[in-house]
Amino acid sequence: MSTIVDYNAYPDAHGRFGNYGGSYVAETLMAPLAELTEAYLRLRDDPAFIAELDRDLKHYVGRPSPIYHAERLSQHVGGARILFKREDLNHTGAHKINNTVGQALVARNMGKTRIIAETGAGQHGVASATVAARLGLKCVVYMGAVDIERQKINVYRMKLLGAEVVPVTSGSKTLKDALNEAMRDWVTNVADTFYIIGTVAGPHPYPLMVRDFNAIVGREARAQMLEEYGRLPDVLTACVGGGSNAIGLFHAFLNDADVRIVGAEAAGLGLATGHHAASLAAGRPGVLHGNRTYVLCDDNGQITETHSISAGLDYPGVGPEHAFLKDAGRADYVGVTDDEAMEAFHLLARTEGILAALESSHAVAQAIKLARELPKDGIVLCNLSGRGDKDVHTIAAREGVEV
Amino acid sequence: MSRIDRRFAALKAAGRTGLIPFVTAGDPSLEHMVTLMHALVDAGADLIELGVPFSDPMADGPVIQHASERAIARGVGLADVLAWVATFRQRDADTPIVLMGYLNPIEIHGYARFAQEAVQAGVDGVLLVDCPLEESAVLQQLRDVGLQQILLAAPTTEPSRMAQLCGSAEGFLYYVSFAGTTGAAHLSTGDIAARVADVRARAKAPVAVGFGIRDAASAKSIAGFADAVVIGSALVERLAGAMDADDMTARARAFLTPIRAALDAH
């Protein structure tokens, strides 16, 4: 077990979480990153900024999101109580809006007029297009051509919100390539452009900033647990692609040594098949997208193509704080396969009337496994990070149904 | 004195501007890579930047991205790149070679192992696009064996940071002519002349200018105020699809000869 006593002390001033994180970027980006770090560190302690963010989270996003006891699901599983933090009820349907609302306010404070973003499942793209529309900022979203195909509804939503969606056809045509392309755009247009990274990866200060904006999930959940259940949960779980919803839930509990933490990565067709996106469970330390973290790559250091049924988890890296938590022994990261996620999706739909996002269905599957290991009075708190409307076509196609 | 230092000293003594071509290792072909490197030297190269292919080249434009993808598809790894350098060294002991690329292939290869193998092969320096000065502690094992870390400076670099880069520069300082990716075409020499002159006056090492230089005219416009010019995307584009060693050599010569002449006429 870990010897670290205060997880709030990370990252350090260079954005390092132990051996992970940092700023591994081209020289051209060092100045804009320094400018962003300076602005963000000033704003995060600025009462006026905090008040505006709180107002937006309450009246625009719809926070706080409730904690919901899934009684029928828990009964069906026959173990501990399963509780969901309902981030799927947020405006735009996922936790992603917590971060984009925050970063958009930072962008406006810095006088930037153009927003760029990368997206995998499209949730972050939609959340970015949403806040850009609200603040009257131009918005360009980079999205892998493969993801555009499997997330058509979200692509159309972004367009309805006034964003330009740019298909990325390099590499594996998925999230990692969209991130490369957004970085190239930023390098070229640093003067007027703000890059809203959608996950807790990328160079400093993004892993810090995105974590801070999502940490409201865990802060609320911790207070709700104490108020409604008089205790903390036995175990937390969330799905981990880049890891923003997971760190959002986990962060407020990191110093609660008795609360176990388990992240669910996409095991795709199975970890043994090589067709997965489980960077922590099956990868190794490397450098990708501006930070040192666990990556999936071959012996030549080439990043390998990943597979997951869920576009939002289909990423060969992971946020550096998760890499740090893994090495520190504070959190465990395990794989959940496409099939397990689908089974959990259906079970949740039939027992609770909730269509979870495919990403979140990985967490639901893990919550079910954890509940089985615990006594009936135990509590598993799972982040239901997004709703599944966007995935209906993917699921129908997988099951041979024409919609 | 390192091979890079000797080469720049010789250029200075002769009053010449250095020519630094960039090619992606393993593109346009595997088997003629060393032939291509010799051809670059024969056509006037003073130093060769050899690109180590990486799957996620964030700072590169489409031309070098695609060259990397082709090289990776051919199975090129760091071991191949080092083997080509070693073979090249059998016939050329003087032309410095800098490996250019991204950190992950070296990280995965292992820093100590890479340092030893690279020196043995005859590599002189590394230019790692995603390893700024702040993160360069990881390269200590490379420096320990004499590999020079080529640093980059950019138009966005703040004055205080520029001073730091100028003070830490070794081999040469690579000045990125504009904020953007490699191969983009909006070089504005008027803007950068003053900036490069300032950097050159302060840097502990010679200054090479790269990004956006594509032909004799653009090279010549830089020659007045830089110690060397770097040409990458335009050359990679010209070489792409070359059928055999002769074709490749002919293309390299046709491309570099007028640039060499323009630099020397300056």
Side-chain angles (χ1 to χ4, degrees), chain A residues 65-230:
Chain A
S65 68
I67 279 187
Y68 170 70
H69 178 198
E71 284 186 65
R72 291 229 312 139
L73 175 67
S74 303
Q75 264 167 21
H76 181 93
V77 171
R81 285 170 284 177
I82 298 172
L83 271 49
F84 290 119
K85 178 65 171 163
R86 297 292 308 274
E87 292 298 298
D88 60 319
L89 298 179
N90 292 339
H91 178 43
T92 71
H95 71 288
K96 293 288 187 189
I97 191 88
N98 300 322
N99 170 46
T100 58
V101 160
Q103 286 200 50
L105 291 181
V106 175
R108 199 193 56 193
N109 266 282
M110 292 176 73
K112 304 292 183 182
T113 53
R114 179 174 176 268
I115 295 289
I116 58 170
E118 85 295 336
T119 197
Q123 289 303 107
H124 174 60
V126 167
S128 296
T130 298
V131 296
R134 178 162 174 263
L135 296 183
L137 304 170
K138 184 176 160 51
C139 182
V140 176
V141 179
Y142 290 92
M143 189 167 185
V146 168
D147 291 337
I148 285 182
E149 190 50 40
R150 56 181 168 178
Q151 300 289 343
K152 285 180 189 157
I153 292 177
N154 271 346
V155 173
Y156 189 55
R157 285 170 80 194
M158 286 183 263
K159 289 179 180 168
L160 289 174
L161 291 161
E164 179 191 351
V165 181
V166 180
V168 177
T169 55
S170 58
S172 60
K173 305 178 180 60
T174 60
L175 178 56
K176 79 173 179 73
D177 310 287
L179 219 151
N180 292 335
E181 211 52 46
M183 281 280 180
R184 292 179 188 121
D185 180 314
W186 198 31
V187 157
T188 308
N189 301 295
V190 288
D192 68 343
T193 297
F194 189 99
Y195 180 14
I196 301 189
I197 292 185
T199 192
V200 285
H204 181 60
Y206 284 100
L208 164 70
M209 181 167 64
V210 179
R211 176 252 270 168
D212 285 354
F213 287 136
N214 272 305
I216 189 161
V217 175
R219 277 202 307 278
E220 276 177 13
R222 196 173 182 281
Q224 288 164 322
M225 286 301 306
L226 292 173
E227 190 187 318
E228 296 169 30
Y229 295 85

Side-chain angles (χ1 to χ4, degrees), chain B residues 43 58 101 113 129 138 179 212 249:
Chain B
M58 287 192 308
R113 179 181 161 209
V129 178
V138 296
T249 302

Side-chain angles (χ1 to χ4, degrees), chain A residues 16 22-28 30-31 170-171 176 180 183-184 187-188 285-287 289 292 297 299-303, chain B residues 53-58 60 65 69 72 77 103-105 107 129-130 132 134-135 152 154 156-157 161 165 179-181:
Chain A
R16 298 200 181 97
S23 301
Y24 294 88
V25 294
E27 175 62 27
T28 308
M30 291 305 286
S170 58
K176 79 173 179 73
N180 292 335
M183 281 280 180
R184 292 179 188 121
V187 157
T188 308
V287 175
H289 292 150
R292 170 170 284 105
C297 68
D299 290 341
N300 284 325
Q302 309 300 348
I303 303 303
Chain B
F54 181 50
S55 52
D56 293 77
M58 287 192 308
D60 284 300
Q65 281 175 50
E69 285 177 10
I72 292 168
L103 206 48
N104 202 53
E107 168 112 1
V129 178
D130 57 353
E134 283 77 356
E135 303 293 353
L152 294 132
T156 54
T157 304
R161 191 178 156 75
L165 290 171
T181 55

Side-chain angles (χ1 to χ4, degrees), chain B residues 4-5 7-20 46-47 169 171-175 193 196-210 213 219 221-230 260 263-264 266:
Chain B
I4 299 175
D5 297 341
R7 178 51 51 100
F8 274 101
L11 284 167
K12 191 176 180 187
R16 300 175 79 205
T17 304
L19 174 58
I20 307 179
D46 294 300
L47 185 154
F172 62 94
L173 184 64
Y174 188 128
Y175 188 83
V196 174
D198 173 55
V199 172
R200 205 174 164 201
R202 292 192 289 153
K204 268 174 52 191
V207 177
V209 174
I213 302 164
S221 68
I222 299 289
F225 52 85
D227 295 297
V229 298
V230 183
R260 177 78 265 172
L263 291 177
D264 290 344
H266 164 72

